[in-house]
């Protein structure tokens, strides 16, 4: 738990040290801007990475006891959510230090967190199923996470891009949830109803795809563990 809080803080420190003068001069509350991106991205990475290996790491139980396999993915997501909640407390402390006004509307942050939880469960079900059959998935996913870090606008603003390119960023669900945090916390605005619909769309889509992939391969998994 301590490391789950310390890790994003160390990443935040390094990024602030490197990018403040290069990219953060014209971004208000750049520390919170960075922290918002790191907070969401770290939660996504932890939940999906741990979820991916949940079946293999519990193969001794799965092959000897008839238990619902998806419970192992859910347990990893609950663990990641607890760690995220601890880091969120530190996040609000940073907000107070940076003199960001706390408003009642901030309770709406629960919405993107719940959406991200559902998305993480869906991605975890997909990855954990694929990982049983294709062990190289872990290496490919590490490359994907590196790419995801750079296309999620964690340490830079997308404002200098054209409107067409800015819309392309919305294809990335992780960026969508990062932007929700920034708009509500830093800008003090509530995202539009359409934006809420987009958040929910990504969450439910990945969850349903994950359930479908898992159910299709459920009975075969035990033979490959």
């Amino acid at each position: 738990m301590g490391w789950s809080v310390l890790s994003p803080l160390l990443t935040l420190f390094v990024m602030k040290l490197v990018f403040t003068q290069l990219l953060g001069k014209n971004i208000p509350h750049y520390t919170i801007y960075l922290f918002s991106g790191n907070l969401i991205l770290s939660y996504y990475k932890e939940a999906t990475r741990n979820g991916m290996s949940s079946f293999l790491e519990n193969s001794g139980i799965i092959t000897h006891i008839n238990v619902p396999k998806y419970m192992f993915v859910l347990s990893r997501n609950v663990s990641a959510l607890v760690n995220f909640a601890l880091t969120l407390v530190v996040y609000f402390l940073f907000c107070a230090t940076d003199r960001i006004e706390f408003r009642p509307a901030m309770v709406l942050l629960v919405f993107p967190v719940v959406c991200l939880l559902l998305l993480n469960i869906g991605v975890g079900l997909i990855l954990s199923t694929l990982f049983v059959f294709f062990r190289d998935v872990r290496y490919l996913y590490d490359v994907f996470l590196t790419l995801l870090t750079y296309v999620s606008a964690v340490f830079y603003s997308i404002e200098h891009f054209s409107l067409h390119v800015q819309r392309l960023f919305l294809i990335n669900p992780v960026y969508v949830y990062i932007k929700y945090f920034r708009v509500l916390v830093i800008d003090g605005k509530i995202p539009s109803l359409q934006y809420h619909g987009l958040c929910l769309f990504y969450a439910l889509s990945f969850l349903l795809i994950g359930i479908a992939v898992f159910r299709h391969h459920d009975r075969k998994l035990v033979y490959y563990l």
Side-chain angles (χ1 to χ4, degrees):
M1 286 186 178
W3 178 250
S4 68
V5 175
L6 186 60
S7 180
L9 287 178
L10 290 174
T11 305
L12 172 68
F13 174 73
V14 172
M15 285 188 171
K16 181 173 173 57
L17 205 62
V18 174
F19 295 118
T20 297
Q21 295 301 319
L22 294 175
L23 303 171
K25 287 183 177 180
N26 300 319
I27 300 178
H29 302 287
Y30 187 61
T31 300
I32 305 304
Y33 186 91
L34 274 175
F35 205 161
S36 299
N38 277 313
L39 182 70
I40 299 298
L41 187 63
S42 295
Y43 174 38
Y44 172 82
K45 286 181 176 180
E46 180 183 358
T48 54
R49 270 177 176 161
N50 293 343
M52 176 171 56
S53 59
S54 59
F55 291 163
L56 277 180
E57 290 183 359
N58 294 281
S59 59
I61 298 175
I62 294 173
T63 54
H64 290 86
I65 304 174
N66 186 20
V67 293
K69 303 178 191 65
Y70 61 83
M71 293 299 296
F72 296 105
V73 175
L74 293 181
S75 68
R76 295 300 176 88
N77 274 273
V78 170
S79 174
L81 183 62
V82 171
N83 293 337
F84 171 78
L86 293 174
T87 313
L88 191 61
V89 173
V90 180
Y91 174 76
F92 285 130
L93 291 176
F94 270 71
C95 289
T97 304
D98 209 14
R99 298 182 180 179
I100 287 181
E101 180 185 354
F102 287 90
R103 295 167 293 273
M106 283 189 178
V107 72
L108 291 175
L109 291 176
V110 172
F111 179 76
V113 173
V114 171
C115 287
L116 189 55
L117 172 64
L118 297 178
L119 181 140
N120 288 343
I121 292 172
V123 174
L125 287 171
I126 296 170
L127 291 175
S128 57
T129 302
L130 291 176
F131 191 41
V132 172
F133 301 106
F134 309 104
R135 306 300 165 88
D136 289 339
V137 166
R138 80 170 79 185
Y139 306 114
L140 295 174
Y141 193 61
D142 283 342
V143 174
F144 170 77
L145 289 178
T146 301
L147 175 63
L148 185 66
T149 301
Y150 289 105
V151 299
S152 296
V154 173
F155 50 84
Y156 61 89
S157 172
I158 68 170
E159 299 300 323
H160 61 280
F161 293 111
S162 66
L163 289 176
H164 175 69
V165 175
Q166 290 183 35
R167 293 191 188 100
L168 291 178
F169 275 87
L170 297 177
I171 298 175
N172 176 2
V174 174
Y175 171 76
V176 169
Y177 299 129
I178 289 174
K179 184 178 178 181
Y180 193 110
F181 261 67
R182 288 170 175 168
V183 169
L184 190 56
V185 175
I186 299 175
D187 299 336
K189 300 176 182 178
I190 299 176
S192 66
L193 188 61
Q194 292 85 349
Y195 200 86
H196 282 81
L198 182 64
C199 291
L200 191 59
F201 169 76
Y202 280 132
L204 295 180
S205 296
F206 277 93
L207 179 63
L208 292 175
I209 293 172
I211 292 173
V213 170
F214 169 72
R215 292 186 64 181
H216 181 73
H217 297 284
D218 184 17
R219 294 185 179 181
K220 294 186 290 184
L221 291 176
V222 68
Y223 299 107
Y224 290 85
L225 290 172

